[in-house]
Every structure is written in structure tokens, then in C-alpha cells.
């Protein structure tokens, strides 16, 4: 299966600081990333992990990697691996995730690019499907203060 770059653009009726908070704060990520909280010092070269509830318990590492760039309210770029509970070959499954925020009048343009996929990365299909849900949830949270009910 061809693994092209995934690119999403969302226009959100909120300030960049509000969108940024949804991307990097414990409260924001818990609400928008399926109950997971991002843990990192957010310095270039630092590790990060999304930890949250899963089939194996309350503190499952769902995704991990390295921070590549961090510019508050503007840019977050990082490598990405699925957690060890998802695949024995998690260390070789890699891609890059880059969030960019731009002020557009009274709203924020959030662009996400998920690229640099390792060959035959089995996480691609899952990412392609779930980014829409995560980004829609971020938009809804930032605009309404509530998250989406996915019926789970």
C-alpha cells in the first residue's frame, strides 16, 4: 500500500493559544487524544509519550518519539512510533508529525502533516483514519469547550 504524506487543514474559531493548549497541555490532550496525556519537556531532542488508558491498563504508552521542533503557539514537530503494546516492531515503525498554527483573521489555521513514513508502516491506515477524529475533536473543543461523543 502506498503511504503518501497525510495533510489536514482545519480552520478553528479560537485563538492560537487555545488551539496550542489542546495540542500540548495535559487537559487538552486528555480530552482530544482518546484520554491520553502527552509527557515531555518539549525541548528539541527530548522524548515524548502519549500515555493513557488502554486494553492493558490505565497507563499505556500509545505513541512515543522525539521532539524535533517546538515553538509555542506556532509549531510542534516530532518523530512518532506506535507504543510497544501495538506492535513488536514499534521501534522501526516511524513517521513525522508536524503541527503548524497560523492566525487567519479571527481564527486559527491548524495544519497537520504526517509524513516521512518508514517503508510498509502498518500504522499508516490507522493514522489516516484517526487524524480526522482527533482534529475534529480539537476544533470542537476549542470552539465550544466540549468534545465529540464518538459513541465509545
Amino acid at each position: 500500500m502506498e503511504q503518501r504524506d497525510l495533510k489536514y487543514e482545519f480552520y478553528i474559531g479560537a485563538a492560537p493559544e487555545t488551539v496550542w493548549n489542546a495540542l500540548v497541555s495535559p487537559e487538552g490532550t486528555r480530552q482530544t487524544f482518546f484520554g491520553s496525556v502527552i509527557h515531555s519537556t518539549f525541548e528539541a531532542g527530548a522524548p515524548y509519550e502519549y500515555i493513557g488508558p488502554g486494553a492493558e491498563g490505565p497507563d499505556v504508552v500509545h505513541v512515543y518519539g522525539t521532539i524535533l521542533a517546538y515553538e509555542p503557539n506556532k509549531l510542534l514537530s516530532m518523530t512518532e512510533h506506535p507504543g510497544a503494546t501495538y506492535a513488536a516492531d514499534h521501534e522501526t515503525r516511524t513517521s513525522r508529525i508536524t503541527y503548524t498554527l497560523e492566525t487567519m483573521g479571527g481564527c486559527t489555521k491548524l495544519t497537520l502533516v504526517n509524513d516521512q513514513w518508514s517503508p510498509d508502516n502498518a500504522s499508516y491506515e490507522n493514522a489516516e483514519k484517526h487524524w480526522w477524529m482527533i482534529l475534529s475533536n480539537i476544533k470542537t473543543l476549542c470552539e465550544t469547550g466540549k468534545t465529540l461523543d464518538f459513541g465509545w
Side-chain angles (χ1 to χ4, degrees):
M1 167 188 200
E2 180 190 351
Q3 296 175 336
R4 59 182 172 73
D5 296 351
L6 301 175
K7 182 178 180 182
Y8 307 87
E9 295 177 342
F10 276 68
Y11 294 86
I12 302 171
E17 295 79 11
T18 301
V19 179
W20 187 255
N21 189 55
L23 292 172
V24 302
S25 76
E27 305 80 29
T29 59
R30 185 178 295 112
Q31 293 180 83
T32 57
F33 285 83
F34 308 109
S36 295
V37 173
I38 189 170
H39 296 268
S40 182
T41 62
F42 295 107
E43 298 162 331
Y48 78 90
E49 297 176 313
Y50 282 94
I51 300 174
E56 296 77 20
D59 295 319
V60 174
V61 175
H62 293 279
V63 174
Y64 71 95
T66 302
I67 303 293
L68 300 173
Y70 182 85
E71 195 175 336
N73 304 313
K74 293 185 179 184
L75 173 72
L76 174 60
S77 184
M78 51 200 174
T79 62
E80 180 268 342
H81 303 271
T85 60
Y86 291 98
D89 65 344
H90 63 95
E91 292 175 335
T92 62
R93 288 190 197 184
T94 188
S95 69
R96 180 179 65 177
I97 297 168
T98 302
Y99 300 98
T100 306
L101 303 182
E102 299 172 66
T103 300
M104 304 282 294
C107 65
T108 300
K109 179 182 178 185
L110 168 60
T111 303
L112 172 114
V113 177
N114 194 180
D115 61 1
Q116 296 185 1
W117 291 90
S118 58
D120 301 316
N121 188 327
S123 300
Y124 180 86
E125 189 175 323
N126 187 50
E128 187 177 35
K129 181 172 76 173
H130 285 100
W131 276 128
W132 288 110
M133 297 171 84
I134 291 168
L135 295 169
S136 295
N137 216 10
I138 289 170
K139 178 176 172 56
T140 300
L141 176 66
C142 292
E143 292 178 346
T144 70
K146 299 176 184 173
T147 55
L148 299 169
D149 178 357
F150 292 115
W152 299 336

